[in-house]
Amino acid sequence: MKRLLLLLLITFSLTANSQKRELGNVTIEELKQKKHSTDTSAVAAILFKTGDVTFNYSQQDGFYIRTNIKAKIKVYKKDGYNWGNFEVLLYNETNAKQSLEIKSAFTYNLVGDKIEKSKLKSDGEFEEKVNKFWTRKKITMPNVKEGSIIEIEYNIKDEGTGLIDEWAFQEQIPVDYSEYSTKIPEYYVYNTHFRGWLVPKITNEDVNESIELRSKERQEIRGRMETANYSEDQITYRLKKTNYKLENIPAIKNEYFTNNIKNYTSSLVLELSMTKFPNQMTQNYSSDWETVTKKIYEYDDFGPELNKTGYFEKDIDELLKGVVSPAEKTGLIFSYVKNRMNWNEMYGYSCQNGVRKAYQDKTGNAAEINLMLTSMLRYAGLSANPILISTRSNGVALYPSRSAFNYVISGVEVENQIIMLDATNKFSLPGILPIRDLNWYGRIIRNNGSSANVNLIPQKKSIDAITLMGSISKDGEITGKVRKKLFDYNAFIFRNNYNNISKESYIEKLEKENLGLEIEEYEVQNNVNLNEPIVESYTFKSTNSVEIIGDKLYVSPLLYFTMKENPFKQESREYPVDFVFPNQDNYKISLTIPEGYTVETLPASKVIAMPDNMAKFSYEISKSNNQIQLSYIFDTNNVIIENGYYETLKNFFKELVNKNNEHIVLKKI
């Protein structure tokens, strides 16, 4: 009897668990739940998510891939509403395409003591063109509120691309259960890659599968085609079934100075390596980087477009009259393309309308502009080649694959150095790329078909040099003048921010960011002269840098430039810190103390450096008569700092912040 009861309990438990992972079983208890059981701060949680990839066979078209996705999501807070929005990228060209079919999509809410069910309507579905080949399908679920449960099921049909979407086990909210299954015929070979630190439980099984082939043959009788004979054949092949499961997955937390959190999120990447059908030649796709780049170079919208001529030669001949220096040629051609062309904000390494039409229309996507630039540089006798990259939003290109890259820039090789160029941004310079491009490594493709890694991380330090002269008043105000010089990437970022808004709006923004700051007589030099550093100058009044207690003034010597808190707050970190580019903040501050006051306390000078000089700051302060002089230099020398140094980095910034917040104490005489 006890054994029977135990079996019944096990059966009930298994049934209950399976029901939880099926759509349509929303309960009042689930809708009433206010917080996640293991992460009470979570704005939402994925209760379960499953993906099932199968290869189906069509007599007419052969194999196609169908991916079925199911998800059940609980929303706890307003900040979790965006988890009711879904995006799916779909590929589409003549011989290969993907399509999306929404099977069901509902939002559930508790109204009184009844469950209200809202169905996705047509106005909640949108399409957005990414480039010539990619479309983004957007789904916005209806009636999403605090407490809602969202359920969605959809199919992706893939005909001819061989693409299997990346599966993310981990998200920026908790995931209670994630399961992914693939059933792949022996004719397709996929490379399997894992990201992140959480490893799913994997089970494999090989089984035999068969396809029924039916063909029709018509017979000729007395010179006419009369009856038809049907023949049937059966093909048997091996099918590899793989199942991946992961439960109770914590949310991955974004933090300051993170590249793309996707790079470190636990996920599965299946990349088509080759196809090997009976009686056909093996087709290689992404076994190594050389194969990948060779395939991309052979695309009609890449290599042939790069080699097109007859549309720019006269203009370039006129531009380069009398110019012989390679550096000058590079600069002139780069400026010409950058000023003539307008980027339509479409990414990709494939041309959409072609370089000729783009040149004529003065508008193009990233590939058209930068492949055109490369062609012109080659025409001028320079060793120029395209560089395939993955932008920061696309993630780091860790594994050889055609989808690893989503962008192309240009590179000129001079004296064993590669000067990188991206003409899509009006404020970029040779060697100064848009921030989106600075993503670890790219791949240069040379004329002879070879390729090589290119380091995209800037090596030269960008400097922010500030000179401030101020006077402290008895009532706690500090007035004075500031002169600020910005070099390289600091200048590039300034130009992108400043030149898109009015001078008045920029000043207002600065004042809002720094409480108690008033700016007058603001001037900026070289905001359009890209070959010179930005120079900002203004007079200021700061009412928030001095605290008066009794007969003493407590002065923050870095004024409104003070770093007030440590940006690194997590106890631990599983992914690197990314500072984007090496940087130096260099402050020279001179403060005049008010008449009738003397310096009672001056912070001590200090120098602190991380191991191998990865980061360093020096703080030197002195007094001479009624003047206080501060020299403060903060260097970040290593752009990428591995997570193994996180505790050291966190403590370094703790000391940095503490030093920033020390005060000069002035005592009334």
Side-chain angles (χ1 to χ4, degrees):
M1 185 67 182
K2 287 182 179 179
R3 190 167 182 270
L4 177 61
L5 181 60
L6 181 61
L7 285 171
L8 287 171
L9 286 171
I10 291 172
T11 304
F12 175 79
S13 175
L14 290 173
T15 304
N17 284 333
S18 65
Q19 286 176 346
K20 286 181 181 177
R21 290 164 194 155
E22 288 297 329
L23 301 180
N25 293 318
V26 175
T27 66
I28 290 176
E29 288 70 26
E30 287 176 317
L31 289 166
K32 283 183 175 180
Q33 190 182 36
K34 300 294 184 184
K35 295 179 181 178
H36 189 260
S37 57
T38 60
D39 185 351
T40 56
S41 65
V43 298
I46 296 175
L47 304 183
F48 76 80
K49 182 174 70 166
T50 63
D52 187 42
V53 179
T54 58
F55 282 66
N56 301 321
Y57 188 82
S58 159
Q59 179 81 28
Q60 182 178 351
D61 301 316
F63 281 106
Y64 63 91
I65 306 171
R66 186 178 294 279
T67 304
N68 177 262
I69 308 288
K70 296 178 183 177
K72 184 176 183 178
I73 301 167
K74 170 72 179 181
V75 177
Y76 296 109
K77 301 176 183 178
K78 286 182 179 179
D79 290 343
Y81 287 4
N82 64 319
W83 288 94
N85 300 326
F86 301 87
E87 292 187 2
V88 181
L89 275 174
L90 300 170
Y91 188 84
N92 193 348
E93 63 168 318
T94 306
N95 299 316
K97 63 180 180 179
Q98 294 176 314
S99 56
L100 178 73
E101 177 194 14
I102 300 173
K103 301 286 287 182
S104 67
F106 296 97
T107 303
Y108 297 84
N109 288 294
L110 191 62
V111 179
D113 58 353
K114 293 183 179 180
I115 298 175
E116 180 185 79
K117 185 177 178 181
S118 303
K119 185 178 180 179
L120 175 68
K121 296 179 181 178
S122 58
D123 60 2
E125 299 179 46
F126 313 90
E127 276 193 6
E128 176 184 278
K129 194 168 183 64
V130 178
N131 56 39
K132 183 177 180 179
F133 300 112
W134 291 94
T135 300
R136 183 179 286 109
K137 181 81 171 183
K138 294 184 174 183
I139 301 164
T140 301
M141 296 296 291
N143 207 22
V144 176
K145 304 175 181 178
E146 290 180 69
S148 294
I149 285 181
I150 296 158
E151 290 192 338
I152 188 168
E153 178 183 5
Y154 58 89
N155 288 333
I156 300 172
K157 185 180 180 182
D158 182 290
E159 300 171 275
T161 75
L163 295 172
I164 297 178
D165 287 344
E166 180 175 338
W167 183 259
F169 292 98
Q170 193 174 28
E171 300 282 0
Q172 294 187 51
I173 55 174
V175 179
D176 292 348
Y177 183 85
S178 182
E179 181 176 0
Y180 194 63
S181 299
T182 60
K183 302 175 185 69
I184 303 175
E186 62 179 286
Y187 310 129
Y188 295 84
V189 178
Y190 283 82
N191 292 329
T192 303
H193 305 287
F194 289 99
R195 283 198 182 102
W197 288 267
L198 302 175
V199 180
K201 180 182 177 182
I202 305 170
T203 57
N204 289 296
E205 180 187 5
D206 285 353
V207 298
N208 286 329
E209 190 74 17
S210 60
I211 301 170
E212 299 288 343
L213 298 179
R214 193 179 186 194
S215 59
K216 183 170 68 172
E217 296 178 356
R218 301 190 71 184
Q219 289 184 332
E220 185 177 351
I221 301 175
R222 296 176 183 174
R224 292 187 304 172
M225 300 303 292
E226 298 288 351
T227 60
N229 291 331
Y230 291 90
S231 63
E232 292 186 356
D233 195 10
Q234 187 178 73
I235 295 177
T236 301
Y237 58 90
R238 299 292 288 171
L239 187 71
K240 183 177 181 179
K241 294 182 175 182
T242 308
N243 183 270
Y244 308 85
K245 288 182 184 177
L246 204 54
E247 298 186 61
N248 303 319
I249 308 160
I252 188 165
K253 303 291 186 183
N254 212 339
E255 200 180 355
Y256 284 104
F257 303 108
T258 300
N259 181 329
N260 181 344
I261 199 69
K262 172 186 169 185
N263 295 325
Y264 318 108
T265 302
S266 292
S267 55
L268 168 68
V269 180
L270 294 174
E271 182 66 30
L272 182 61
S273 172
M274 68 178 73
T275 56
K276 44 182 185 178
F277 291 99
N279 305 316
Q280 293 183 24
M281 289 184 64
T282 297
Q283 293 287 327
N284 291 308
Y285 293 95
S286 58
S287 55
D288 53 53
W289 286 117
E290 289 289 343
T291 304
V292 169
T293 52
K294 186 174 183 297
K295 282 279 183 188
I296 292 172
Y297 193 86
E298 291 170 352
Y299 287 169
D300 290 341
D301 297 307
F302 192 92
E305 290 287 338
L306 178 64
N307 297 322
K308 281 182 179 175
T309 56
Y311 64 96
F312 62 76
E313 284 82 353
K314 288 183 180 179
D315 294 332
I316 298 302
D317 288 342
E318 184 67 26
L319 180 71
L320 298 182
K321 275 184 180 177
V323 179
V324 293
S325 162
E328 195 174 351
K329 283 182 179 181
T330 300
L332 284 170
I333 293 173
F334 181 61
S335 294
Y336 175 74
V337 174
K338 190 174 57 169
N339 294 327
R340 176 189 177 92
M341 299 302 297
N342 297 290
W343 182 43
N344 60 15
E345 299 192 3
M346 286 194 173
Y347 288 44
Y349 50 70
S350 297
C351 295
Q352 187 164 359
N353 298 312
V355 288
R356 279 199 183 100
K357 188 168 187 347
Y359 187 75
Q360 179 185 344
D361 296 345
K362 300 183 180 180
T363 301
N365 68 2
E368 285 156 347
I369 292 173
N370 287 322
L371 291 182
M372 175 195 305
L373 169 65
T374 306
S375 296
M376 292 177 180
L377 293 165
R378 285 180 176 178
Y379 176 74
L382 300 165
S383 178
N385 295 292
I387 300 173
L388 292 166
I389 71 168
S390 174
T391 59
R392 293 173 74 86
S393 62
N394 193 54
V396 175
L398 295 174
Y399 317 111
S401 73
R402 292 165 296 158
S403 58
F405 304 113
N406 71 325
Y407 201 86
V408 62
I409 60 174
S410 183
V412 177
E413 297 186 66
V414 181
E415 298 177 355
N416 297 320
Q417 285 188 330
I418 299 175
I419 301 168
M420 289 178 280
L421 309 160
D422 185 346
T424 62
N425 186 288
K426 302 296 184 185
F427 305 116
S428 63
L429 287 164
I432 303 292
L433 301 171
I435 300 300
R436 62 175 172 270
D437 298 355
L438 307 182
N439 196 30
W440 292 24
Y441 292 97
R443 194 88 186 171
I444 190 168
I445 310 178
R446 297 192 173 92
N447 264 340
N448 60 9
S450 67
S451 68
N453 266 346
V454 176
N455 188 358
L456 299 170
I457 298 173
Q459 303 303 304
K460 184 183 177 184
K461 196 178 292 183
S462 295
I463 297 172
D464 189 347
I466 297 164
T467 303
L468 183 150
M469 299 185 69
S471 297
I472 307 166
S473 71
K474 295 177 182 179
D475 57 4
E477 285 186 354
I478 300 180
T479 55
K481 293 184 177 181
V482 170
R483 181 177 170 84
K484 190 174 182 180
K485 293 182 79 173
L486 305 170
F487 297 83
D488 299 317
Y489 276 101
N490 287 324
F492 172 80
I493 291 169
F494 176 89
R495 290 183 178 111
N496 274 285
N497 291 335
Y498 178 82
N499 287 323
N500 291 321
I501 60 175
S502 68
K503 178 177 168 180
E504 291 71 23
S505 297
Y506 186 77
I507 294 170
E508 185 181 350
K509 179 174 174 287
L510 285 179
E511 291 178 337
K512 281 184 177 178
E513 288 173 353
N514 300 282
L515 190 65
L517 176 67
E518 295 177 23
I519 292 174
E520 292 183 350
E521 299 176 25
Y522 180 88
E523 297 294 337
V524 61
Q525 300 172 39
N526 305 323
N527 57 308
V528 291
N529 181 3
L530 307 188
N531 294 314
E532 296 295 328
I534 289 288
V535 180
E536 283 184 280
S537 57
Y538 56 86
T539 61
F540 74 92
K541 179 168 74 173
S542 176
T543 59
N544 201 38
S545 300
V546 179
E547 187 179 3
I548 302 174
I549 302 177
D551 62 350
K552 296 179 181 179
L553 304 179
Y554 292 80
V555 183
S556 297
L558 282 162
L559 285 73
Y560 50 90
F561 297 112
T562 301
M563 184 184 289
K564 296 191 181 297
E565 59 180 31
N566 191 341
F568 302 105
K569 296 182 172 64
Q570 287 181 216
E571 287 299 316
S572 60
R573 182 161 168 152
E574 294 179 329
Y575 39 90
V577 170
D578 185 342
F579 288 116
V580 187
F581 53 86
N583 183 69
Q584 181 184 92
D585 292 329
N586 191 325
Y587 296 87
K588 304 293 182 188
I589 295 175
S590 177
L591 296 174
T592 302
I593 65 176
E595 188 177 345
Y597 280 81
T598 187
V599 175
E600 181 180 79
T601 305
L602 208 61
S605 295
K606 195 170 190 177
V607 177
I608 294 179
M610 285 186 66
D612 300 323
N613 211 34
M614 288 186 278
K616 178 182 177 180
F617 79 85
S618 66
Y619 184 106
E620 296 181 11
I621 193 166
S622 61
K623 173 187 174 296
S624 177
N625 298 322
N626 67 336
Q627 296 287 317
I628 296 170
Q629 307 287 340
L630 172 64
S631 172
Y632 173 74
I633 301 173
F634 171 38
D635 291 294
T636 49
N637 300 313
N638 283 34
V639 174
I640 308 293
I641 296 182
E642 296 297 331
N643 62 306
Y645 287 98
Y646 178 68
E647 191 64 30
T648 305
L649 180 70
K650 185 178 176 181
N651 289 332
F652 171 84
F653 267 84
K654 181 180 178 182
E655 293 199 57
L656 175 69
V657 170
N658 287 343
K659 202 68 194 167
N660 266 247
N661 287 278
E662 287 183 359
H663 290 89
I664 301 166
V665 181
L666 303 179
K667 185 178 181 181
K668 195 171 185 179
I669 299 171

